[in-house]
Amino acid sequence: MIARLQRASNTAGLLTYLYGPGERGHHSDPRLIAGDGHGAPVELLAESGPLTYLAHALDAPVERLGARAPERPTWVCSVRSDPRRPDLTDSQRAAVARRLMAATGIAPVGDPDACRWIALRNQPRQVHVVATVAREDGGLHNTYRDAFRLQTECHRIGTELGHVPTAPRPTPRAQEISVPAPSITITAEFSGSALAKGASDDLSCMLLKHAGFEQIEDWYGRRHRLPTTTPTFDQVAIATHAAEMLRAARYRVDLAPSLDMAWMSTPANPLGPYVAGAEVLQLTDRIKAAENGVDLRQAVDHLLHPEHGVLERVREALEAAGEQINDLDEEAYELADRFDLAAELVGSAQAELVDPDHELSEVGAPHHPPANKRAHSAKLPDPRSAALATSPAADKAKASSALGTAAADASAAVRPAQVPNSRTR
């Protein structure tokens, strides 16, 4: 079970998309399966009338904040299940949505001032949870580590449903029959030459000669050396080629890193075998060279793209490493858990930086005082007025506050005036 977290600024537009056919026409039978509107009839609003009323029901706490409202107040999470497993029913999906709302702190169990949210389905094996980050008491939900909490709860739910496979116990392998072969070491000498030791049989000697080594026989025994006049790049190429041929012939070869072509740094490959690191280094240079917000957004998109970005690839690689550790050694579960945690932290960082296009494009642009984006009419239509109604808990709190204020006023009316006392020595 995998969760994807995003933030949006237009709740009505988001609901129109989720209840519509979708970009590829894959949405079918959209329906509301769960939700909590804190007094607003979200179930009725979703079944009759435009979706604008449902958006008003979710946005009501945000509109009450006025100028304190965040720019992207809508919290949306898409949860997909394993296609190889049986699909969940609507009631099971609703239970999953409630657990995710409680795990993230958006709607803890028993909290009368929690955020408003709904859960809807528009395609198999997936559920969308839409919530507002504004609470009924006027506070804002802290979204920090929401992605980490989502992935942790999804893993827990998947384990309870039996969707997370356990690492199989390794089966003993049959004893492999191998022919003993000498170990050959190819090292670089202080004199600037390359020396191969351990090649005592005719086959290894023939392969070293074919690669370009010269054979020497003296009181030290049979050895193979490259002349000191051989250029460094040629030494690396010859030693690497010799090691490849010897290994193909099933010799054990210990090749010095300074003579390994894979470890050699070139202007085209400055980090040697770390090709991925070199590409990220080029991306870093491109980010540093950005001259305006548009150039910066285009460069950062290679880093943060939700499907093909660097962070997504790193997250997948860490997950794969954890799974491979479990497959190879079930006793190393603590190490596998650390890789899984690292993958979740990268996913959390990716979610915190999701959809930064608008902000990045405005970097360096002249700033203007923001217009009042949340001007409201003096009188709202009846359906919207019902949506903007406060929760029963908030009304009760206001009533208690009003009674306390009235009592304080009455006490002040009957209290005699106090005359300041003069201090005597």
Side-chain angles (χ1 to χ4, degrees):
M1 191 169 290
I2 301 175
R4 290 288 183 186
L5 179 61
Q6 295 180 350
R7 295 282 295 277
S9 58
N10 188 347
T11 306
L14 174 64
L15 294 179
T16 301
Y17 168 76
L18 294 176
Y19 275 89
E23 295 180 355
R24 303 177 183 176
H26 55 278
H27 292 176
S28 60
D29 189 21
R31 58 198 181 275
L32 190 73
I33 61 174
D36 187 357
H38 288 274
V42 293
E43 294 84 358
L44 298 179
L45 294 177
E47 295 176 0
S48 61
L51 293 175
T52 307
Y53 293 148
L54 181 58
H56 288 330
L58 291 174
D59 287 341
V62 179
E63 296 188 8
R64 290 198 296 266
L65 292 178
R68 294 194 304 112
E71 184 177 356
R72 293 185 297 169
T74 306
W75 186 99
V76 54
C77 174
S78 302
V79 184
R80 301 195 314 269
S81 59
D82 192 342
R84 297 168 297 182
R85 303 288 181 175
D87 196 5
L88 303 181
T89 63
D90 285 358
S91 60
Q92 289 176 318
R93 290 287 181 185
V96 169
R98 293 188 182 92
R99 290 184 58 171
L100 296 181
M101 292 296 93
T104 55
I106 290 181
V109 178
D111 186 355
D113 294 319
C115 302
R116 300 186 181 191
W117 64 275
I118 61 171
L120 61 95
R121 296 192 68 179
N122 55 18
Q123 55 184 312
R125 306 185 186 282
Q126 190 168 1
V127 62
H128 300 279
V129 184
V130 181
T132 175
V133 296
R135 291 171 50 86
E136 294 292 324
D137 55 7
L140 290 174
H141 167 69
N142 186 5
T143 60
Y144 179 66
R145 292 180 66 83
D146 273 0
F148 171 76
R149 296 188 180 99
L150 282 172
Q151 297 297 347
T152 303
E153 188 66 18
C154 283
H155 187 273
R156 186 180 293 111
I157 295 173
T159 303
E160 295 174 3
L161 295 174
H163 291 187
V164 179
T166 57
R169 182 175 296 276
T171 56
R173 298 179 179 177
Q175 185 67 29
E176 182 179 356
I177 300 176
S178 59
V179 178
S183 178
I184 301 174
T185 303
I186 305 177
T187 59
E189 294 186 315
F190 290 106
S191 62
S193 176
L195 182 66
K197 301 178 181 179
S200 57
D201 61 298
D202 294 338
L203 177 59
S204 60
C205 292
M206 182 185 68
L207 294 176
L208 287 170
K209 289 180 182 179
H210 180 73
F213 281 82
E214 295 180 356
Q215 181 172 311
I216 301 174
E217 293 191 29
D218 50 19
W219 56 85
Y220 290 109
R222 183 184 293 183
R223 295 173 297 159
H224 295 80
R225 184 193 302 272
L226 291 177
T228 56
T229 56
T230 306
T232 303
F233 185 82
D234 291 342
Q235 285 187 4
V236 175
I238 293 172
T240 301
H241 181 52
E244 291 175 351
M245 290 191 298
L246 290 169
R247 287 166 180 161
R250 303 189 70 179
Y251 287 93
R252 296 188 300 273
V253 181
D254 185 9
L255 179 62
S258 60
L259 295 174
D260 193 343
M261 182 67 73
W263 290 86
M264 185 175 183
S265 299
T266 63
N269 189 16
L271 300 185
Y274 302 102
V275 181
E279 293 180 354
V280 175
L281 185 61
Q282 294 178 2
L283 176 58
T284 303
D285 294 338
R286 180 178 174 185
I287 292 175
K288 291 180 178 179
E291 297 181 354
N292 51 56
V294 176
D295 293 343
L296 180 62
R297 177 182 60 79
Q298 293 175 352
V300 172
D301 180 64
H302 292 273
L303 186 67
L304 302 179
H305 192 277
E307 295 183 5
H308 311 299
V310 174
L311 287 183
E312 177 62 16
R313 296 285 85 87
V314 171
R315 186 191 64 79
E316 291 177 350
L318 290 171
E319 282 187 352
E323 294 175 357
Q324 193 66 12
I325 291 172
N326 270 327
D327 293 341
L328 296 176
D329 186 1
E330 65 177 359
E331 299 297 330
Y333 59 89
E334 292 184 353
L335 177 60
D337 288 344
R338 293 206 301 271
F339 273 88
D340 292 340
L341 177 60
E344 292 171 352
L345 293 177
V346 172
S348 177
Q350 184 181 13
E352 290 295 327
L353 299 173
V354 70
D355 194 19
D357 291 357
H358 180 67
E359 293 92 336
L360 288 175
S361 298
E362 293 183 349
V363 171
H367 296 280
H368 302 284
N372 186 10
K373 299 181 180 180
R374 298 187 177 274
H376 305 292
S377 59
K379 187 175 182 180
L380 299 176
D382 292 339
R384 186 174 180 183
S385 300
L388 292 177
T390 58
S391 66
D395 292 336
K396 184 177 180 181
K398 290 181 179 179
S400 300
S401 176
L403 290 175
T405 303
D409 293 342
S411 175
V414 299
R415 185 182 303 123
Q418 296 182 357
V419 179
N421 296 325
S422 59
R423 298 185 59 181
T424 59
R425 299 182 179 271

